[in-house]
């Protein structure tokens, strides 16, 4: 016999939860007491609930396991919303347990009462509230099952305080299985559709493989590599997809979309057959849908039927888990009498190589001697060579990191793609570092984003979390500034950071190491030194040229091939 | 085009708000909505009418199906179906009008369910278009109040929406 609070924590143990990230408060105190009286599940105390959700999110993205958050009612719960929305947009499995005021007080505007079910509803895969303490184990099982199966996502469990009262005890049993009659995620794709997609691919003259976060989440990297190599076709990936195909491979032609490579966007525009795998034709990828890939026949694999033909109408929809669908496709490709036409393919590659020469990720170094943000990212690439976990915040630094880092494995590139959440990178890196204490974890950020969750320097001191913060400091909100330069005649409305703190002293105030880098000749040796400090959090503050823009950049409302390639040159 | 979506929903707290919330979140429109438990008390049957082009309706049905508590869903407009809407309408009925209103109600097979010296309250059942036609026949000037349940519907023949 256990109390509701003990059943809750015991259920998390039995679910195999390693970490809870959270912050206590009135309505969650019975649960916190149960957390205290056990050692199996470790609790990490953050300094703001939003950071707890991003920590759980980073943990989930790096390990593939669901992240768990525990907060109190009211402000504790509402502070998690940005983190929940971030996970929801990128389909990250998470379970968020929020305390609630006692059942009989609900609806009466009690102290620290918020309708968490209502507030979280638009940004969760599902939410559940505990109505009877005896249901706690089965509700928790259900939450994890929903969060991790099908298209993953965050699930909130709202727990009124009287469901966890000490002394009110119930028989405990954690269910081995759960069945929900109204929820049956697809287990395999339609054989006929898969055959059609293979036929389309094998007959194509200018084929493209375009993949997204679904391949990472679906653990289908191996299958993707096998199929892509068997075909010899070019592959491009979304921001969320990076790493699921080796970045250094000859067939990988870079990220596509708003800040994608010239060759990837050109190849997509001119393709006659596109296989989209676990990618959702986001507006940051397609540019104007009416002008998207005019000559292409499109096949799309996704586990979520509502992702198919949501924005771009596809010709061959396949609903199913990417790994099993790709396995079937590989089998069919091997058996098929038709094989890719070698001449067509070599012409297509010649064309792509020609495009690659055109831009090829170049940028101009500055005669004033200011460091370029791209140089900082390239230095990180040189020193880590992919043997690193990188998280980012949102803005120019995120795009430079996507463009100039190369990932050979999935689950190592961790970024807020869909929601674009500034403040994500640092706590996400902390969540990863705790689970991989021996690995190098770098948060690539900017002086704008880092200040959105900078309070977590304190959490890092408490738990000795030695992440490396690479602050690409351009003393302005770079991406906002870039848009203002391009669209608002350089009127920099509120995009300055005129009162930057001394980040070095700030880091030191929390017992960490700070380094300021202002000259290109210091960059490599100091970054090397920072990365070598395995047991220290190092805040590396690198001053870069504030006027730099991210290129290529698609021209708004145009097609994929319409890009700015520099401040003066466009296609 | 107008569509009638019929949904079997888990009869649980919050399930309805998820359906309604989805429509506002995704910028879809609900024209009518009816919901009540079925013969199986664990299930509710929800009927809603909406409009949109084929792609919008396809997205709507996919998004609805994605809700965990939606058990099954059918677009009744895709096949032969029966639809009914119930209206209670309170109209002025005095002088020469009194007999005219009564005749009109008879033509539409309405029932007068409440009477005062100057007012008839009429109950009318049928497809929404029939109720609209009655309102037009009676004329705005005579109508004091209307209330409609919204559309309920079933597929014709042997097709059923059940577990």
């Amino acid at each position: 016999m256990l109390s509701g609070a003990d059943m809750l924590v015991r259920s998390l143990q039995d679910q195999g939860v390693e970490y809870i990230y959270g912050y206590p408060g009135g309505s969650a105190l019975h649960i916190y007491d149960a957390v205290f009286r056990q050692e199996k599940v470790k609790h990490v105390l953050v300094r703001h609930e939003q950071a707890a959700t991003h920590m759980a999110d980073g943990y989930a993205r790096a390990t593939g396991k669901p992240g768990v958050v525990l907060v109190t009612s009211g402000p504790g719960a509402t502070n998690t919303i940005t983190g929940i929305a971030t996970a929801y947009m990128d389909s990250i499995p998470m379970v968020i347990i929020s305390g609630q005021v006692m059942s009989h007080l609900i609806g009466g505007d009690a102290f620290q009462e918020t309708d968490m079910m209502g507030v979280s509803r638009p940004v969760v895969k599902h939410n559940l509230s505990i109505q009877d303490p005896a249901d706690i184990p089965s509700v928790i099982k259900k939450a994890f099952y929903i969060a991790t199966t099908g298209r993953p996502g965050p699930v909130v469990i709202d727990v009124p305080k009287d469901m966890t009262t000490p002394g009110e005890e119930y028989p405990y049993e954690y269910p081995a299985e759960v069945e929900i009659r109204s929820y049956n995620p697809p287990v395999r794709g339609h054989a006929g559709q898969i055959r059609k997609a293979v036929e389309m691919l094998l007959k194509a003259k200018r084929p493209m493989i375009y993949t997204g976060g679904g391949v990472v989440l679906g653990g289908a990297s191996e299958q993707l590599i096998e199929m892509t190599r068997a075909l010899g076709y070019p592959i491009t990936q979304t921001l969320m997809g990076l790493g699921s195909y080796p970045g250094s491979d000859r067939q990988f032609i870079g990220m596509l979309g708003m800040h994608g490579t010239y060759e990837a966007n050109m190849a997509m525009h001119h393709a006659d057959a596109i296989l989209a795998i676990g990618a959702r034709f986001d507006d940051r990828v397609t540019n104007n849908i009416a002008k998207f890939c005019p000559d292409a026949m499109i096949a799309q694999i996704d586990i979520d039927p509502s992702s198919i033909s949501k924005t771009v109408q596809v010709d061959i929809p396949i609903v199913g888990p990417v790994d099993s669908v790709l396995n079937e496709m590989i089998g069919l490709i091997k058996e098929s009498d038709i094989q890719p036409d070698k001449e067509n393919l070599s012409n297509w590659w010649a064309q792509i190589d020609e495009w690659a020469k055109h831009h090829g990720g170049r940028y101009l170094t500055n005669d004033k001697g200011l460091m370029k943000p791209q140089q900082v990212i390239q230095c990180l690439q040189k020193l880590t060579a992919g043997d690193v976990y990188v998280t980012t915040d949102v803005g120019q630094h995120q795009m430079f990191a996507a463009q100039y880092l190369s990932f050979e494995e999935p689950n190592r590139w961790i970024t807020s793609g869909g929601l674009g959440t500034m403040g994500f990178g640092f706590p996400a890196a902390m969540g990863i570092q705790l689970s991989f204490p021996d690995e190098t974890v770098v948060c690539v950020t900017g002086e704008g984003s880092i200040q959105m969750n900078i309070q977590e320097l304190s959490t890092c001191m408490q738990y000795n979390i030695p992440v490396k913060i690479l602050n690409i400091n351009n003393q302005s909100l770079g991406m906002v500034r870039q848009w203002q330069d391009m669209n608002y005649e350089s009127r920099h409305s509120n995009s300055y950071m005129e009162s930057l703190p001394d980040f070095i002293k700030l880091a030191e105030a929390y017992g960490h190491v700070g380094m300021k880098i202002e000259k290109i000749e210091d960059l490599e040796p100091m970054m090397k030194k920072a990365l070598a400090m395995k047991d220290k959090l190092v805040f590396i503050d690198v001053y870069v040229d504030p006027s730099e823009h991210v290129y290529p950049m698609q021209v708004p409302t145009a097609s994929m091939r319409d890009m700015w390639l520099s401040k003066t040159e466009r296609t | 085009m107008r569509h009638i979506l019929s949904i079997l929903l888990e009869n649980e707290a919050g399930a309805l708000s998820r359906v309604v919330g989805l429509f506002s979140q995704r910028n879809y429109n609900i024209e009518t909505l009816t919901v009540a438990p079925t013969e199986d008390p664990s299930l509710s049957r929800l009927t809603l009418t909406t409009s949109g082009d084929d792609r919008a309706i396809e997205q709507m049905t996919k998004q609805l199906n994605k809700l965990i508590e939606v058990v099954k869903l059918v677009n009744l407009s895709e096949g032969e179906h029966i639809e009914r809407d119930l209206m209670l309408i309170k109209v002025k009925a005095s002088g020469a009008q009194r007999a005219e209103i009564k005749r009109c109600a008879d033509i539409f097979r309405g029932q007068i369910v409440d009477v005062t010296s100057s007012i008839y309250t009429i109950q009318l059942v049928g497809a929404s278009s029939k109720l609209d036609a009655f309102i037009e026949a009676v004329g705005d000037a005579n109508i004091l109040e209307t209330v409609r349940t919204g559309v309920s519907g079933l597929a014709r023949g042997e097709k059923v929406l059940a577990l």
Side-chain angles (χ1 to χ4, degrees):
Chain A
M1 299 288 277
L2 294 174
S3 73
D6 285 320
M7 284 201 290
L8 192 149
V9 175
R10 188 62 195 280
S11 299
L12 296 179
Q13 291 177 353
D14 290 345
Q15 182 62 39
V17 173
E18 301 165 286
Y19 289 99
I20 309 173
Y21 314 93
Y23 205 102
S27 298
L29 284 181
H30 297 328
I31 305 172
Y32 267 90
D33 191 57
V35 167
F36 186 86
R37 288 183 278 99
Q38 56 88 50
E39 282 174 354
K40 238 176 166 177
V41 183
K42 294 184 267 305
H43 181 275
V44 181
L45 175 70
V46 292
R47 298 298 177 267
H48 186 291
E49 290 89 347
Q50 184 191 346
T53 56
H54 295 325
M55 278 189 89
D57 186 325
Y59 167 87
R61 292 184 204 228
T63 63
K65 292 183 260 185
V68 181
V69 174
L70 174 60
V71 294
T72 190
S73 62
T78 55
N79 276 346
T80 64
I81 294 296
T82 301
I84 295 172
T86 304
Y88 181 63
M89 285 291 269
D90 290 343
S91 308
I92 305 303
M94 252 163 58
V95 173
I96 302 93
I97 299 164
S98 57
Q100 183 54 280
V101 300
M102 286 191 271
S103 313
H104 71 276
L105 295 175
I106 291 178
D109 300 326
F111 177 65
Q112 293 196 330
E113 181 192 355
T114 298
D115 173 16
M116 184 56 173
M117 296 294 284
V119 170
S120 65
R121 197 192 60 223
V123 294
V124 292
K125 183 171 175 185
H126 196 56
N127 56 18
L128 299 154
S129 84
I130 307 277
Q131 321 264 347
D132 179 348
D135 295 340
I136 286 175
S138 65
V139 170
I140 288 181
K141 180 78 188 177
K142 204 169 157 182
F144 278 92
Y145 175 64
I146 292 170
T148 55
T149 50
R151 180 181 181 172
V155 176
V156 163
I157 309 175
D158 203 39
V159 189
K161 190 172 186 180
D162 52 324
M163 299 294 125
T164 56
T165 312
E168 289 177 19
E169 297 189 337
Y170 303 83
Y172 171 84
E173 191 188 349
Y174 196 63
E177 276 180 35
V178 59
E179 215 203 291
I180 305 171
R181 64 180 172 183
S182 57
Y183 175 71
N184 299 294
V187 288
R188 58 180 304 187
H190 186 278
Q193 295 291 91
I194 293 173
R195 204 170 306 117
K196 269 199 231 167
V198 168
E199 197 179 318
M200 174 198 86
L201 276 181
L202 293 174
K203 286 183 176 166
K205 293 195 172 76
R206 298 181 308 280
M208 276 300 292
I209 297 170
Y210 146 55
T211 79
V215 176
V216 179
L217 293 164
S221 182
E222 214 173 283
Q223 289 87 344
L224 177 66
I225 294 167
E226 186 181 350
M227 186 188 73
T228 307
R229 291 207 171 131
L231 290 167
Y233 290 175
I235 174 170
T236 179
Q237 295 185 316
T238 68
L239 182 72
M240 295 303 299
L242 298 175
S244 58
Y245 189 86
S248 62
D249 191 271
R250 152 80 178 127
Q251 284 169 251
F252 180 63
I253 63 170
M255 181 172 78
L256 82 170
M258 181 173 271
H259 295 295
T261 64
Y262 178 75
E263 56 271 32
N265 285 343
M266 292 299 273
M268 282 294 282
H269 185 83
H270 291 91
D272 69 346
I274 295 171
L275 174 64
I277 312 171
R280 60 188 179 89
F281 298 85
D282 181 82
D283 55 82
R284 285 296 191 269
V285 162
T286 60
N287 212 1
N288 185 346
I289 286 168
K291 297 174 184 168
F292 178 75
C293 303
D295 303 325
M297 191 170 183
I298 303 173
Q300 185 184 1
I301 308 168
D302 205 293
I303 198 159
D304 174 7
S306 74
S307 275
I308 289 178
S309 295
K310 184 168 66 181
T311 59
V312 170
Q313 188 74 38
V314 304
D315 304 287
I316 308 173
I318 303 171
V319 177
V322 281
D323 54 351
S324 88
V325 172
L326 288 181
N327 274 332
E328 287 185 56
M329 289 183 79
I330 292 163
L332 289 173
I333 290 166
K334 282 183 185 155
E335 289 165 14
S336 177
D337 304 333
I338 325 168
Q339 286 303 322
D341 184 303
K342 287 208 172 89
E343 201 186 324
N344 277 333
L345 192 58
S346 74
N347 288 342
W348 181 225
W349 271 112
Q351 174 66 75
I352 290 170
D353 292 342
E354 187 58 37
W355 282 325
K357 276 185 221 152
H358 199 75
H359 185 268
R362 72 186 142 76
Y363 55 91
L364 298 171
T365 45
N366 194 311
D367 53 4
K368 280 180 277 175
L370 287 171
M371 224 183 305
K372 290 289 180 182
Q374 296 95 325
Q375 293 175 303
V376 182
I377 303 292
Q378 283 180 317
C379 180
L380 177 65
Q381 172 65 27
K382 185 179 168 193
L383 296 179
T384 56
D387 184 18
V388 61
Y389 287 83
V390 173
T391 70
T392 78
D393 275 302
V394 173
Q396 285 188 325
H397 70 267
Q398 179 187 29
M399 292 301 116
F400 289 133
Q403 291 176 333
Y404 292 93
L405 293 174
S406 175
F407 289 92
E408 308 304 307
E409 291 169 41
N411 308 96
R412 286 177 164 262
W413 161 251
I414 281 122
T415 192
S416 166
L419 198 67
T421 308
M422 290 170 73
F424 169 82
F426 179 29
M430 291 159 58
I432 299 164
Q433 185 80 77
L434 273 177
S435 291
F436 298 98
D438 301 329
E439 301 280 342
T440 304
V441 183
V442 178
C443 167
V444 176
T445 183
E447 80 295 327
S449 290
I450 191 66
Q451 292 191 78
M452 285 211 186
N453 265 319
I454 194 131
Q455 76 286 345
E456 297 308 314
L457 285 170
S458 173
T459 307
C460 289
M461 174 162 73
Q462 181 176 352
Y463 296 96
N464 189 25
I465 305 175
V467 298
K468 305 295 175 280
I469 298 171
L470 184 57
N471 190 37
I472 315 277
N473 191 338
N474 59 2
Q475 307 107 67
S476 67
L477 303 179
M479 191 59 93
V480 171
R481 185 188 162 110
Q482 174 169 347
W483 283 49
Q484 289 170 337
D485 285 341
M486 295 175 83
N487 305 319
Y488 301 89
E489 298 165 324
S490 296
R491 288 186 299 278
H492 296 149
S493 174
N494 293 281
S495 57
Y496 296 110
M497 296 298 273
E498 283 169 320
S499 53
L500 288 179
D502 182 334
F503 288 113
I504 311 310
K505 280 190 189 154
L506 189 62
E508 285 168 359
Y510 287 104
H512 307 309
V513 177
M515 283 184 186
K516 189 171 180 175
I517 306 178
E518 288 173 297
K519 291 190 222 113
I520 184 75
E521 55 270 28
D522 295 337
L523 180 63
E524 193 177 321
M526 288 184 77
M527 200 188 288
K528 205 180 223 170
K529 201 173 136 197
L531 293 171
M533 290 187 208
K534 293 282 178 204
D535 56 351
K536 281 282 183 190
L537 183 151
V538 187
F539 194 112
I540 314 159
D541 191 20
V542 193
Y543 278 72
V544 298
D545 182 358
S547 69
E548 186 63 9
H549 287 180
V550 183
Y551 293 109
M553 180 169 181
Q554 282 174 341
V555 177
T557 73
S559 74
M560 289 206 74
R561 70 173 162 183
D562 301 305
M563 289 167 268
W564 285 98
L565 299 177
S566 72
K567 284 183 185 173
T568 52
E569 186 191 355
R570 63 166 279 189
T571 52
Chain B
M1 203 191 130
R2 176 176 175 267
H3 288 259
I4 306 172
L5 304 181
S6 194
I7 302 167
L8 269 187
L9 192 66
E10 294 289 357
N11 188 8
E12 282 171 10
L16 179 62
S17 72
R18 258 182 252 280
V19 173
V20 176
L22 176 72
F23 275 72
S24 63
Q25 277 159 49
R26 302 226 172 235
N27 207 12
Y28 307 145
N29 179 37
I30 297 180
E31 279 154 25
T32 72
L33 175 70
T34 69
V35 58
T38 64
E39 75 285 0
D40 173 352
S42 72
L43 288 170
S44 291
R45 177 89 174 233
L46 185 150
T47 314
L48 65 84
T49 58
T50 182
S51 55
D53 59 24
D54 289 351
R55 283 195 62 187
I57 299 295
E58 187 186 329
Q59 258 303 305
M60 244 179 251
T61 54
K62 284 174 169 177
Q63 293 292 352
L64 283 166
N65 266 317
K66 223 167 110 173
L67 296 176
I68 307 290
E69 286 143 340
V70 167
V71 185
K72 272 188 180 173
L73 180 155
V74 67
N75 182 348
L76 291 177
S77 322
E78 281 176 349
E80 291 291 318
H81 64 276
I82 300 157
E83 63 166 284
R84 291 292 180 268
D85 193 351
L86 183 147
M87 173 166 69
L88 294 174
I89 180 166
K90 202 175 269 191
V91 292
K92 286 185 216 156
S94 53
Q97 263 180 337
R98 204 163 167 89
E100 179 57 29
I101 296 284
K102 170 87 171 62
R103 264 197 300 279
C104 198
D106 289 343
I107 292 167
F108 279 85
R109 283 186 240 162
Q111 290 167 276
I112 296 172
V113 292
D114 189 40
V115 178
T116 73
S117 58
S118 59
I119 287 169
Y120 280 152
T121 300
I122 302 160
Q123 171 187 304
L124 207 63
V125 177
S128 301
S129 53
K130 174 180 158 179
L131 308 193
D132 295 340
F134 182 75
I135 289 173
E136 202 169 311
V138 172
D140 278 350
N142 294 318
I143 298 173
L144 296 167
E145 191 180 1
T146 62
V147 59
R148 291 166 72 154
T149 58
V151 173
S152 288
L154 291 171
R156 282 193 183 274
E158 288 173 10
K159 271 191 241 165
V160 292
L161 184 64
L163 277 184

